[in-house]
Amino acid sequence: MSLQEEIIARFGVRPAIDPDQEIGRRVDFLKRHVTQAGARGLLIAITCEADSAVAAALCKRAADSLTEETGGTFLAVGVLQPYGEEPELEACYALAKALDLQHIIETNIEDAVGEISLEAEFGLKSIGIHQHLSRGGKEQVKSRTRSIMQGALAGELNLLVASADHASKAAAGLFAEEARSTDVRPLASLSGNQVGQLAAHLGIPLTAENGPKAGTGFPGAGVSLEEYSLYLEGGTLPAGTQTKLEEQYRRAHHKGTLPPGI
């Protein structure tokens, strides 16, 4: 088995998908996990990217379907988590409204990140290291603070936390820690391009000025989201590009197993 075949098998990506079928499968997956957990619904972080929009749309469909089927009340809660003032926040609110999410929570993480970073710097100072947190270190604090906040809210509301990560990002080692802190991963076996197909099928715009962006937030070490997607769908890349991709995968492979996904 080639490394490409091994990676494809690990993430379960299919070479082609039927959007209708995939939407149904993933909504059923979410409903099953909510029911098994005895939860009241799902919580999803809202960003202005296609993966977040698709995951939120699936969560909304699952919660609405459970409400209709059971006569109970199941929630799909969107969480916006800016750091200070972020220009995309208004667009994220517009996206949440377009998805008809009835419950939106905004939690600004700036103060919490500042306190944690300050305490970490005091800790370093206590062992003779006088420095501010590095940029990478502070980004880790931001990421984990968002995860902690999602967990706190979901715990109080008895919700499952849904991740918006997909196979292209997982193979690149992006968002692995955030995904491990979630309960369900409804996009786990889709490539980034396939997430885009679901977005189009759901009527979610990918290039509108105030809508989600298809290819942002993907620092793939010189390999694009589209190239990761083609590779995971069994396609052929130029030798140099494939080498870069596989080297990045090997570096990220140690980051461990992920929560249940479909």
Side-chain angles (χ1 to χ4, degrees), residues 121-142:
E121 291 165 5
F122 279 137
L124 291 172
K125 186 177 180 180
S126 72
I127 59 172
I129 300 174
H130 299 266
Q131 66 180 55
H132 293 297
L133 282 188
S134 65
R135 180 176 178 180
K138 196 160 187 178
E139 288 302 317
Q140 287 278 356
V141 173
K142 290 180 184 179

Side-chain angles (χ1 to χ4, degrees), residues 33-34 37-44 63 73-79 103 105 150-162 182-184:
H33 277 272
V34 168
R40 293 181 56 213
L42 296 146
L43 180 144
I44 177 75
T73 301
F74 290 84
L75 307 177
V77 177
V79 181
H103 305 281
I105 298 172
Q150 290 171 35
L153 293 169
E156 290 299 312
L157 297 172
N158 188 22
L159 306 175
L160 297 185
V161 179
T182 60
D183 300 303
V184 285

Side-chain angles (χ1 to χ4, degrees), residues 7-237:
I7 294 171
I8 291 170
R10 179 185 177 193
F11 294 105
V13 178
R14 300 178 182 184
I17 61 168
D18 178 283
D20 263 332
Q21 184 182 60
E22 291 301 326
I23 290 167
R25 286 180 65 226
R26 291 161 203 282
V27 169
D28 287 344
F29 166 82
L30 291 169
K31 290 167 60 180
R32 184 169 65 252
H33 277 272
V34 168
T35 300
Q36 289 173 349
R40 293 181 56 213
L42 296 146
L43 180 144
I44 177 75
I46 303 295
T47 68
C48 283
E49 293 190 19
D51 45 15
S52 170
V54 171
L58 297 177
C59 288
K60 179 68 165 60
R61 289 192 176 204
D64 287 352
S65 180
L66 284 169
T67 296
E68 183 179 350
E69 290 173 4
T70 67
T73 301
F74 290 84
L75 307 177
V77 177
V79 181
L80 285 72
Q81 299 181 288
Y83 176 80
E85 294 186 11
E86 292 192 0
E88 289 189 337
L89 186 60
E90 184 177 342
C92 290
Y93 269 108
L95 172 61
K97 183 178 180 180
L99 294 171
D100 197 27
L101 290 175
Q102 303 298 309
H103 305 281
I104 305 295
I105 298 172
E106 180 182 335
T107 61
N108 199 305
I109 64 166
E110 184 174 26
D111 289 344
V113 169
E115 289 296 328
I116 293 169
S117 299
L118 187 60
E119 286 299 322
E121 291 165 5
F122 279 137
L124 291 172
K125 186 177 180 180
S126 72
I127 59 172
I129 300 174
H130 299 266
Q131 66 180 55
H132 293 297
L133 282 188
S134 65
R135 180 176 178 180
K138 196 160 187 178
E139 288 302 317
Q140 287 278 356
V141 173
K142 290 180 184 179
S143 170
R144 294 180 182 185
T145 300
R146 289 188 170 103
S147 295
I148 290 168
M149 185 62 69
Q150 290 171 35
L153 293 169
E156 290 299 312
L157 297 172
N158 188 22
L159 306 175
L160 297 185
V161 179
S163 168
D165 76 300
H166 52 72
S168 296
K169 287 184 176 179
L174 303 176
F175 307 116
E177 290 185 8
E178 293 94 321
R180 280 202 296 271
S181 68
T182 60
D183 300 303
V184 285
R185 302 170 56 235
L187 309 180
S189 59
L190 295 173
S191 71
N193 285 346
Q194 290 169 347
V195 171
Q197 291 176 43
L198 262 61
H201 200 74
L202 290 163
I204 300 169
L206 297 184
T207 56
E209 187 173 329
N210 291 321
K213 313 300 189 294
T216 58
F218 193 80
V223 184
S224 70
L225 175 67
E226 290 74 19
E227 287 166 333
Y228 260 96
S229 297
L230 176 61
Y231 180 88
L232 288 167
E233 292 163 12
T236 302
L237 296 177

